[in-house]
Amino acid sequence: MTTTESTASTAFLSSVTLEVADPEAAHRFHTAFGVDAYVGVRASQAPSTGFRGFTLALTVSRRATVDSFLDAAVNAGARVLKPAAKSLWGYGGVVQAPDGTIWKVATSARKDTGPATREIDEVVLLLGVGDMKAGKQFYVDRGLTVAKSFGGKYTEFAGGEGPVKLALYKRSGLAKDVGVPADGTGSHRIVLGSTAGSFTDPDGFAWEASAPSEPS
């Protein structure tokens, strides 16, 4: 059963910065893929193995657009984790960027409805959590507003001025959804900009105080 909740708050995710070994190469990939307006990059050599505990998801309106984005990612060096295919919810596929970030591209459209465009309807950052109840309460306590909640499986927060929405997903379920083992160690290789100050959540995701800014 779906519930909708709200709190009086203006806190939100203001930016997403991926920590990568080669920022210039990552920026070139993001430009070719078409997501450079949504994420920034900065240099990091922090050790990380296996699943980093998060994914970024693009929602688009047409099946041909899904294929176009996935093809662009592969042509720019991404590895296919799940080829585009039909499902109960629509059509989509998953790729892993050369820097290790996992991207999902999907649409709710089950039939071809026209030619591909380069339009992205929504970008969602999904953080894998061990305890949904604790993770959800942690963010509510810091002023984020819950927009949707599906029991212990999924929580989505209301967006603000930032270009990316934030959602929580059970870590094991998120890994299964994108086709990778759930195990992973070391850095998440991602830093989130917050209008609610600097903090680290129960699953180790780091937030830095920031105002909305253009990705670098």
Side-chain angles (χ1 to χ4, degrees):
M1 181 176 181
T2 303
T3 61
T4 300
E5 308 168 37
S6 64
T7 61
S9 169
T10 58
F12 62 91
L13 173 65
S14 60
S15 63
V16 175
T17 301
L18 301 174
E19 296 187 322
V20 300
D22 187 338
E24 290 187 6
H27 182 69
R28 288 195 298 271
F29 172 80
H30 294 154
T31 300
F33 187 21
V35 298
D36 51 308
Y38 297 92
V39 295
V41 295
R42 71 185 187 193
S44 174
Q45 296 294 332
S48 180
T49 62
F51 183 42
R52 295 179 183 173
F54 74 91
T55 66
L56 284 153
L58 312 183
T59 301
V60 299
S61 61
R62 299 175 179 176
R63 286 184 50 175
T65 302
V66 170
D67 293 334
S68 176
F69 273 100
L70 294 176
D71 287 347
V74 170
N75 289 338
R79 178 169 68 96
V80 176
L81 296 180
K82 279 191 172 183
K86 295 180 182 179
S87 70
L88 292 176
W89 45 261
Y91 180 81
V94 182
V95 295
Q96 186 170 33
D99 63 74
T101 303
I102 296 174
W103 293 84
K104 181 175 183 177
V105 187
T107 179
S108 59
R110 298 183 181 182
K111 297 181 179 180
D112 292 321
T113 56
T117 72
R118 295 298 288 171
E119 295 179 3
I120 298 173
D121 296 336
E122 185 176 73
V123 178
V124 180
L125 169 64
L126 297 105
L127 302 183
V129 300
D131 185 328
M132 180 61 70
K133 183 178 180 180
K136 175 181 173 181
Q137 190 60 52
F138 179 88
Y139 283 109
V140 169
D141 289 345
R142 277 148 188 80
L144 276 76
T145 301
V146 176
K148 298 176 183 177
S149 179
F150 294 83
K153 297 181 179 180
Y154 179 85
T155 297
E156 183 178 302
F157 297 98
E161 298 177 19
V164 181
K165 284 189 175 182
L166 175 67
L168 308 180
Y169 202 124
K170 284 287 289 185
R171 181 185 172 97
S172 58
L174 182 59
K176 181 179 180 180
D177 183 59
V178 295
V180 299
D183 296 337
T185 62
S187 173
H188 290 296
R189 289 290 192 99
I190 187 172
V191 176
L192 312 179
S194 165
T195 59
S198 299
F199 53 87
T200 300
D201 79 0
D203 295 278
F205 289 99
W207 291 69
E208 296 178 350
S210 70
S213 60
E214 293 294 327
S216 59

